[in-house]
Amino acid sequence: MVPSLLLEIALIGILGIASQWIAWRYRMPAIVVMSITGLLIGPVFGIINPEKDFGDLFGPIISAAVAIILFEGSLNLSFKELRGIGKPVFRISTLGAFIAWILGSLTAHYIAGLSWAVAFVIGGLFIVTGPTVIMPLLRQAKLKPRPAKILKWEGIIVDPIGALLAVFAFEIIVVITAENPNGTQLLLFFAASLFAVIFGWALGKGLGWMFETGHIPEFLKSPAIVVVVIFCFTAADMVMHETGLLSVTAMGITLANMGISSISDMRHFKENISVLLISTIFIMLTASLEVETLLQIFSPNIIGYVLLMMFIVRPLSIFLSMIGTGLSLNEKILLGWIAPRGIVALTVSSYFASVLLGAGYEDAEILTTLTFALVFSTVVAHGFSLGWLAKKLNLSQEGNPGALIIGSNKFTVRLADSLKKANIPVIVVDDIWENLSLARQAGVPFYHGDMLSEQTEHMLDTIPYDYLLAATDDNALNSLTCTTFLPEYGRTNVFKISPYTHFKDGYSSGVVPKVGGRILFDRKFSLENLIDKIEEGYVFRKTTLTEQYGLKQYLDDKDERTVFLYLIKPNGVLKFFSEEMRTVPATGDVIVSLTPPLKEKEKIQAKIENNRMNVGKNEKK
């Protein structure tokens, strides 16, 4: 056991972020790494037990964290995303959820051996997936837009529905088992649910209005949202347990669809908080499990229940609810398999376990074990199989890392063409149609629109592109674009063309140097310089480094006017050269550079001379 609660909090935070880093570094599902970490420091080695150590604070901390995570997820639910997927999302959130509830309850009764009352409560709860598990998986698996959006919407919309179904089932049990049953309690349940939706909508509208009218300054907007979210969840939850999840979801969706410009800025802040909370909460929950709970997982009825939920209940609910939605067979197969359960299932099941045990249902004792068995099994199975299955079903955009180039001009089009020839996904984006004529003529993929507009966000599929290159003739726009997309692409994957101008005493820029992304290639090469080189006949040359022809010999042979552009690793990884990043080519790498046409002329001249010599020899014969 750790000597102090403060040290335990620090340890949980460090291990949570370390788990996220390991998952990112080795391309593993983050949820799996966090779960294993929690099990190791909790029931396996007994270093911490957050539930005991935090005492009465454990429940409120978990609940507040879940509320913030669910709100952050719902803040991404713009109704414009539903274009083309509205019917599948509606079906999966209503008919699909209902079918999963009924089938899951039957499975819990006949296979897990639970009483009808407990089975219907847990059956309602287990329809949830949730943003805590879906979002990290979608970030790692490059799914095509339609299945990715359906899974995201389902995870966020069905989360509160599952909790409400569990409450609804419990309220029915209370009514049925009462000595003098009446429907008042059920009416209160529906009234509380309606209140939660209206309350969340009203808070969202009110907060949005205050943001738009300037009643809340910029530096207070993010803190205000966090506080209001917790208040929204708590107030609704006090009226009836678990309606708080519904309330914060309604609040998030309301704000997401008000068109508030500052919401996108706060969304990045909320995403950072969400990652931190998911990292810590998952470790806290798994570390709080008892050894006896883990051993119970291996009982035949629990294993059978988990297998049926994964291989029968979920696929059947998807295939039945998706009839007539226009989804392909491959999409239905993917959706029918991917349904990892997460934090909401763990937290709410522990609440109902205690409530049902207090009501005299002794079989509710295994709810925690059953829940963790399903959560861990689905997280591991779906986390490791999503990418593989998506590739097999041709629903993945995984492949060589691509580049999204903003600005269509003579240089960027030639650059895009060289990437295309190297089988690297590339697209040129420009809001001026005339500029795109160069891309059209070269046969390079292009998109007509403003990269910073909301319409582009919904219309342009950016999943295949790992790098963003801002190369317009407007240095301020390049910096703004890079700053906007830094949180999405990562600091090392966002580049802008050099804004510097060469003077006698060095280089200067009209834009603050630290604003935006990294300088692409070298500060010596502005867009104007690069376009001039293209017009002078500079060529794109590929050079493969070998054991016989290494980096040193290549550097000795190169022309001093050569511009290093990018290199391609043997495994297909793309790296752009930048003076702000240390890129060291190695054996097997292909270096692509922009070189003077001198060597090309020499090759042509040598070929001409060779032809002359051959003609002369033939004449002598």
Side-chain angles (χ1 to χ4, degrees):
M1 300 294 287
V2 294
S4 72
L5 187 60
L6 183 60
L7 180 59
E8 183 170 333
I9 293 172
L11 180 63
I12 290 170
I14 290 172
L15 290 175
I17 298 302
S19 298
Q20 291 273 12
W21 182 86
I22 291 171
W24 165 79
R25 180 66 178 81
Y26 297 101
R27 298 182 65 82
M28 299 170 62
I31 301 297
V32 175
V33 180
M34 291 185 286
S35 298
I36 293 173
T37 302
L39 291 175
L40 290 175
I41 65 171
V44 176
F45 294 111
I47 299 173
I48 63 172
N49 188 331
E51 188 171 10
K52 290 182 179 178
D53 299 337
F54 283 78
D56 293 338
L57 287 175
F58 183 79
I61 289 173
I62 298 293
S63 296
V66 171
I68 293 172
I69 293 166
L70 193 58
F71 171 79
E72 189 276 324
S74 61
L75 204 59
N76 294 309
L77 299 183
S78 171
F79 291 133
K80 292 180 180 179
E81 274 194 357
L82 289 175
R83 189 182 291 111
I85 63 166
K87 194 173 184 180
V89 168
F90 177 76
R91 287 279 196 88
I92 204 172
S93 304
T94 52
L95 181 59
F98 178 76
I99 294 172
W101 179 31
I102 300 301
L103 293 178
S105 302
L106 293 173
T107 306
H109 175 70
Y110 288 109
I111 304 300
L114 298 177
S115 62
W116 282 114
V118 178
F120 270 92
V121 170
I122 207 67
L125 179 60
F126 283 166
I127 70 169
V128 304
T129 53
T132 59
V133 283
I134 283 295
M135 293 305 189
L137 290 185
L138 293 181
R139 274 196 289 266
Q140 291 174 332
K142 292 184 176 181
L143 293 182
K144 288 186 177 179
R146 187 158 71 170
K149 288 177 182 179
I150 292 173
L151 285 171
K152 181 178 77 170
W153 274 83
E154 181 202 10
I156 296 166
I157 295 296
V158 176
D159 230 26
I161 291 176
L164 287 176
L165 277 179
V167 175
F168 177 61
F170 179 72
E171 294 299 336
I172 290 177
I173 293 168
V174 171
V175 171
I176 292 175
T177 57
E179 292 184 4
N180 298 309
N182 64 71
T184 306
Q185 192 66 22
L186 288 178
L187 290 175
L188 287 175
F189 165 76
F190 288 114
S193 300
L194 181 61
F195 166 77
V197 173
I198 295 173
F199 185 61
W201 172 82
L203 283 178
K205 279 289 185 182
L207 202 59
W209 176 80
M210 294 182 75
F211 286 169
E212 287 184 297
T213 54
H215 285 80
I216 298 179
E218 290 297 323
F219 75 96
L220 280 181
K221 285 183 177 179
S222 294
I225 276 195
V226 174
V227 172
V228 174
V229 166
I230 295 174
F231 169 72
C232 177
F233 173 81
T234 305
D237 220 48
M238 287 177 66
V239 175
M240 177 161 286
H241 203 68
E242 302 309 330
T243 58
L245 296 176
L246 187 63
S247 194
V248 295
T249 303
M251 177 181 166
I253 293 176
T254 301
L255 280 169
N257 290 278
M258 287 182 67
I260 304 171
S261 58
S262 56
I263 287 295
S264 58
D265 298 330
M266 288 180 289
R267 188 180 289 128
H268 299 316
F269 169 76
K270 299 289 292 176
E271 286 174 354
N272 293 335
I273 289 185
S274 182
V275 169
L276 178 61
L277 291 176
I278 290 172
S279 306
T280 54
I281 298 308
F282 240 93
I283 287 182
M284 288 176 65
L285 288 171
T286 51
S288 299
L289 294 169
E290 301 291 339
V291 176
E292 293 76 15
T293 300
L294 298 180
L295 294 177
Q296 278 184 322
I297 291 174
F298 300 100
S299 61
N301 60 329
I302 290 181
I303 293 175
Y305 172 78
V306 170
L307 291 176
L308 282 175
M309 288 291 288
M310 292 172 63
F311 291 97
I312 301 296
V313 173
R314 170 67 179 186
L316 201 55
S317 65
I318 291 297
F319 274 85
L320 290 176
S321 63
M322 292 295 111
I323 294 174
T325 58
L327 293 185
S328 67
L329 177 62
N330 285 357
E331 287 173 323
K332 292 176 184 177
I333 292 173
L334 183 73
L335 295 176
W337 171 242
I338 302 300
R341 276 64 169 189
I343 288 177
V344 171
L346 280 173
T347 54
V348 179
S349 71
S350 62
Y351 162 75
F352 278 112
S354 60
V355 171
L356 289 167
L357 282 170
Y361 295 94
E362 295 182 2
D363 54 332
E365 192 174 35
I366 69 165
L367 284 190
T368 302
T369 303
L370 201 65
T371 305
F372 182 74
L374 186 62
V375 168
F376 191 74
S377 299
T378 54
V379 161
V380 172
H382 300 159
F384 281 108
S385 65
L386 177 57
W388 173 84
L389 182 62
K391 288 179 183 178
K392 289 291 183 182
L393 297 174
N394 197 29
L395 295 174
S396 172
Q397 300 194 68
E398 188 75 50
N400 292 335
L404 190 155
I405 303 174
I406 302 170
S408 179
N409 49 64
K410 290 181 180 179
F411 170 73
T412 57
V413 169
R414 288 285 301 277
L415 176 65
D417 188 50
S418 73
L419 290 167
K420 179 187 173 186
K421 289 176 179 176
N423 294 320
I424 292 172
V426 65
I427 191 168
V428 176
V429 179
D430 202 305
D431 61 344
I432 300 176
W433 181 250
E434 289 76 13
N435 290 350
L436 289 169
S437 62
L438 294 169
R440 295 196 299 273
Q441 292 167 11
V444 171
F446 64 89
Y447 176 83
H448 178 225
D450 185 351
M451 195 63 200
L452 296 177
S453 75
E454 186 179 0
Q455 182 181 5
T456 300
E457 180 183 350
H458 296 300
M459 298 298 293
L460 177 62
D461 177 21
T462 60
I463 292 176
Y465 313 110
D466 296 73
Y467 296 98
L468 184 143
L469 315 180
T472 72
D473 55 6
D474 187 336
N475 291 327
L477 177 61
N478 292 337
S479 295
L480 177 60
T481 304
C482 289
T483 302
T484 302
F485 288 95
L486 269 177
E488 182 176 339
Y489 283 86
R491 190 167 296 277
T492 58
N493 290 1
V494 174
F495 299 90
K496 63 183 176 185
I497 209 75
S498 175
Y500 291 89
T501 304
H502 188 200
F503 292 102
K504 287 184 179 180
D505 55 349
Y507 293 88
S508 66
S509 168
V511 181
V512 179
K514 297 300 180 184
V515 173
R518 299 174 185 272
I519 301 299
L520 189 61
F521 313 136
D522 193 299
R523 71 173 60 200
K524 297 194 296 290
F525 305 119
S526 66
L527 180 61
E528 186 179 355
N529 298 145
L530 294 168
I531 291 175
D532 287 343
K533 292 181 186 298
I534 295 295
E535 292 175 344
E536 290 168 11
Y538 274 57
V539 294
F540 284 75
R541 176 175 285 116
K542 295 198 302 184
T543 306
T544 302
L545 299 183
T546 64
E547 294 289 348
Q548 294 75 28
Y549 189 77
L551 178 62
K552 186 178 184 304
Q553 187 175 352
Y554 170 74
L555 293 176
D556 291 340
D557 291 348
K558 76 174 183 64
D559 191 289
E560 61 181 10
R561 294 168 293 173
T562 296
V563 182
F564 293 115
L565 302 176
Y566 60 89
L567 63 82
I568 304 173
K569 295 284 185 182
N571 60 359
V573 172
L574 171 70
K575 288 185 178 293
F576 285 94
F577 284 97
S578 171
E579 65 177 28
E580 299 177 17
M581 295 174 65
R582 188 169 177 267
T583 303
V584 181
T587 301
D589 292 352
V590 176
I591 299 176
V592 179
S593 59
L594 187 63
T595 62
L598 182 62
K599 285 193 175 183
E600 303 302 312
K601 290 180 179 178
E602 290 176 353
K603 286 182 179 179
I604 294 171
Q605 189 63 39
K607 192 173 182 180
I608 293 172
E609 291 294 330
N610 189 45
N611 289 336
R612 283 177 181 171
M613 290 176 63
N614 290 334
V615 170
K617 289 178 181 178
N618 291 332
E619 287 177 352
K620 288 179 180 179
K621 290 180 181 179

